Amino acid sequence: MADLQTLLAECAATVDKTMDLLLPKPDDAEALLFEAMRYSCTAGGKRLRPFLVMQSAALFRVDKRCAARVASAVEFMHTYSLIHDDLPAMDNADTRRGRPSCHKQFDEATAILAGDALQALAFEVLAAPETHADPAVRIELVRELSQAAGGHGMCGGQMIDLLAERDGEMNIGAITRLQRLKTGEMFAFSSVAGAILGKGSYRSYMALHNFAQEFGLAFQIADDLLDVEGDPEKTGKPVGQDAAAGKATFVSILGAERARAQAHLLIDQAVHALEVFDEAADPLREAARYVVDRTN
Amino acid sequence: MADLQTLLAECAATVDKTMDLLLPKPDDAEALLFEAMRYSCTAGGKRLRPFLVMQSAALFRVDKRCAARVASAVEFMHTYSLIHDDLPAMDNADTRRGRPSCHKQFDEATAILAGDALQALAFEVLAAPETHADPAVRIELVRELSQAAGGHGMCGGQMIDLLAERDGEMNIGAITRLQRLKTGEMFAFSSVAGAILGKGSYRSYMALHNFAQEFGLAFQIADDLLDVEGDPEKTGKPVGQDAAAGKATFVSILGAERARAQAHLLIDQAVHALEVFDEAADPLREAARYVVDRTN
């Protein structure tokens, strides 16, 4: 296989191009809304969720254009959650990926609406015939994404996160559940999307689902470690934000060494879950190893 | 047909019961999110959009339980838009239907998340097999609702509304477009939902679509008139809020008399659009007349 960084960059280029085609063009009275949507969608980032979609789709030889639409829908959903999480009432973040956050670049009302419209756009993209000829496949994608994004998924996880910051009491079970909801469900959707698009077997669907569960938690532990040990020049974030906010994390509870060991154990399990696939799944295996060793 | 108020009350009872079944129960760490979702969904209201769904579905003899699910999805979407519109950064409304608005009863972060999760829930409900056995029907519902709610629909309309309040320059064409997006698209979805569920002819679909276009504008003009002439005891809102906010409305531009005449003309056109249907469409015709003559 090609080098992982090359694959990630290729995927990001494909998905960025697809998102550009799917995002509305600013032209009418509501142009400001579309500008805000585009501003946040073009802020860069590793496009890790789109990568999972494209790679899981490749396992089933899904048409790349179809996969890129689903990858774009996931990234629209992810971007909407970042815009809303950054709002003053939530995490109150002035910057995101080194640029002003959406509500700082525009204003709060526009940022709320841009997030709302991006969520609607994600479903609109999945529902369109261009995403897959079979409506049963499209509705399955809508169903899984809506569950991953809603009260029993991303929104529920963000609610627990906010409540935890207020009272600060969290044990390792509670944090695991929080992260499975907040970020894990969207990783899981991204990983199984290929099996849905390619009408894969139940066995391959479950393999990708289990992969994503472990992958997501390892990703989060690595994130917590970077907050403690990362190089601010590479992460683009000051060190120790979680601790300063009094936030319980995998690292604050387990300590850095045990957290790191746990992350590597999870990645071994994630890779193990992929054993039903041949070397076509190597980019997913590589991505899993990269996620815990990354420096940004 | 039964008296319109009886039909409206019956519809509200059916849909309230269905929404109760569909909303998540507050039990886990994220209970507060579900409480906020339920709080705003049970605030009452005329349930006009659900009524349009139930009545258009009845024209095609759609199973009532299926129709009630779609009606609930529309009301979840409508409720999310009210929660977000009431936020301090948007219309900054402390009350809604005589009770504290969601962010006043809970807090801003919870209100943002409750709205986000209600939007996801609306799509989840449409996508579930219980809504219709045919996935092609369900994906069509998702497609139309996502378009009605997104940047070219409700969100786009709200953006124009916010910008118009800031610079105040609006002519009648601009207000018409604003309202077609902000409220019209959701009325249109509600009205055509029955034709989609019942696989009605293109002619009947278009009849309901045209009905909703006129209905929606007439509804908005009546709203503007109530702001000027309404009885605060009945509307639950102080008189003259739009004028105080310097907001251009149909009434501020046309004057009350011409606006009233315009609303009645629109309703005549709405009723005319329904001529392809027999007396089964009488409740829709009655609802159209009620909407311009209502006092709350």
Side-chain angles (χ1 to χ4, degrees), chain B residues 106-182:
Chain B
F106 298 89
D107 56 44
E108 273 187 62
T110 306
I112 294 167
L113 283 173
D116 290 345
L118 281 170
Q119 175 165 201
L121 181 59
F123 290 112
E124 188 182 337
V125 168
L126 292 186
E130 293 82 2
T131 297
H132 199 284
D134 185 350
V137 166
R138 284 181 273 143
I139 204 69
E140 192 55 31
L141 291 168
V142 168
R143 216 179 163 200
E144 297 238 355
L145 184 63
S146 62
Q147 289 172 352
H152 294 294
M154 199 169 66
C155 288
Q158 176 67 0
M159 184 80 247
I160 302 174
D161 205 7
L162 286 167
L163 294 171
E165 269 177 49
R166 285 175 205 171
D167 76 6
E169 285 292 320
M170 292 286 271
N171 60 33
I172 200 75
I175 293 185
T176 302
R177 179 157 184 279
L178 184 170
Q179 296 300 348
R180 276 207 200 274
L181 293 178
K182 188 178 171 182

Side-chain angles (χ1 to χ4, degrees), chain A residues 30 84 107 116 166 177, chain B residues 30 84 107 116 166 177:
Chain A
E30 63 275 27
H84 281 191
D107 56 44
D116 290 345
R166 283 174 207 171
R177 179 156 184 279
Chain B
E30 62 276 29
H84 282 191
D107 56 44
D116 290 345
R166 285 175 205 171
R177 179 157 184 279

Side-chain angles (χ1 to χ4, degrees), chain A:
Chain A
M1 60 173 269
D3 165 53
L4 179 69
Q5 294 304 327
T6 309
L7 290 174
L8 275 168
E10 277 174 14
C11 166
T14 303
V15 175
D16 286 357
K17 205 172 137 196
T18 308
M19 290 203 295
D20 180 62
L21 291 170
L22 293 170
L23 281 162
K25 302 273 177 302
D27 61 347
D28 225 317
E30 63 275 27
L32 192 66
L33 174 66
F34 301 154
E35 277 173 39
M37 293 164 75
R38 284 181 171 271
Y39 173 81
S40 289
C41 286
T42 53
K46 288 177 287 291
R47 308 293 195 212
L48 212 48
R49 292 158 193 79
F51 183 78
L52 295 177
V53 175
M54 298 301 286
Q55 287 299 331
S56 80
L59 292 176
F60 304 91
R61 302 180 191 281
V62 172
D63 182 301
K64 265 196 192 173
R65 283 163 306 178
C66 299
R69 291 178 60 92
V70 176
S72 297
V74 170
E75 197 66 11
F76 291 148
M77 198 62 109
H78 177 57
T79 305
Y80 120 67
S81 78
L82 298 181
I83 295 174
H84 281 191
D85 285 2
D86 284 344
L87 287 167
M90 307 269 253
D91 297 347
N92 194 22
D94 288 353
T95 61
R96 165 70 64 182
R97 292 166 178 165
R99 296 200 306 172
S101 45
C102 190
H103 66 275
K104 279 285 164 184
Q105 181 72 16
F106 299 88
D107 56 44
E108 275 187 59
T110 306
I112 294 168
L113 283 172
D116 290 345
L118 281 170
Q119 176 166 200
L121 181 60
F123 290 112
E124 187 181 339
V125 168
L126 293 186
E130 292 82 3
T131 297
H132 199 284
D134 185 349
V137 166
R138 284 181 273 143
I139 204 70
E140 192 55 30
L141 291 168
V142 169
R143 213 176 165 204
E144 297 238 356
L145 185 62
S146 63
Q147 288 172 353
H152 295 293
M154 198 169 66
C155 287
Q158 176 67 1
M159 184 79 248
I160 302 175
D161 205 9
L162 287 167
L163 293 171
E165 269 178 51
R166 283 174 207 171
D167 75 7
E169 286 293 319
M170 292 286 271
N171 58 33
I172 200 75
I175 293 184
T176 302
R177 179 156 184 279
L178 184 171
Q179 297 300 350
R180 275 207 200 275
L181 294 177
K182 189 178 170 183
T183 59
E185 292 286 323
M186 289 294 288
F187 278 125
F189 174 82
S190 306
S191 301
V192 302
I196 298 173
L197 281 166
K199 300 188 182 180
S201 65
Y202 180 70
R203 187 158 162 257
S204 59
Y205 174 97
M206 282 314 297
L208 288 163
H209 185 268
N210 295 336
F211 164 79
Q213 290 277 330
E214 317 295 351
F215 178 95
L217 281 180
F219 175 87
Q220 193 53 50
I221 295 177
D223 230 41
D224 295 348
L225 280 165
L226 282 174
D227 183 69
V228 174
E229 308 174 333
D231 176 351
E233 295 222 347
K234 289 183 184 163
T235 62
K237 286 186 264 190
V239 165
Q241 280 188 305
D242 292 342
K247 213 169 152 176
T249 70
F250 287 110
V251 176
S252 74
I253 293 183
L254 295 176
E257 280 320 300
R258 281 179 62 202
R260 195 184 336 272
Q262 178 67 15
H264 282 102
L265 186 67
L266 286 163
I267 288 305
D268 288 343
Q269 291 171 348
V271 170
H272 181 71
L274 295 178
E275 66 180 358
V276 303
F277 300 108
D278 62 13
E279 71 276 7
D282 280 351
L284 288 176
R285 295 183 183 102
E286 285 291 315
R289 301 203 189 285
Y290 157 73
V291 146
V292 285
D293 293 326
R294 71 204 158 97
T295 53
N296 70 354

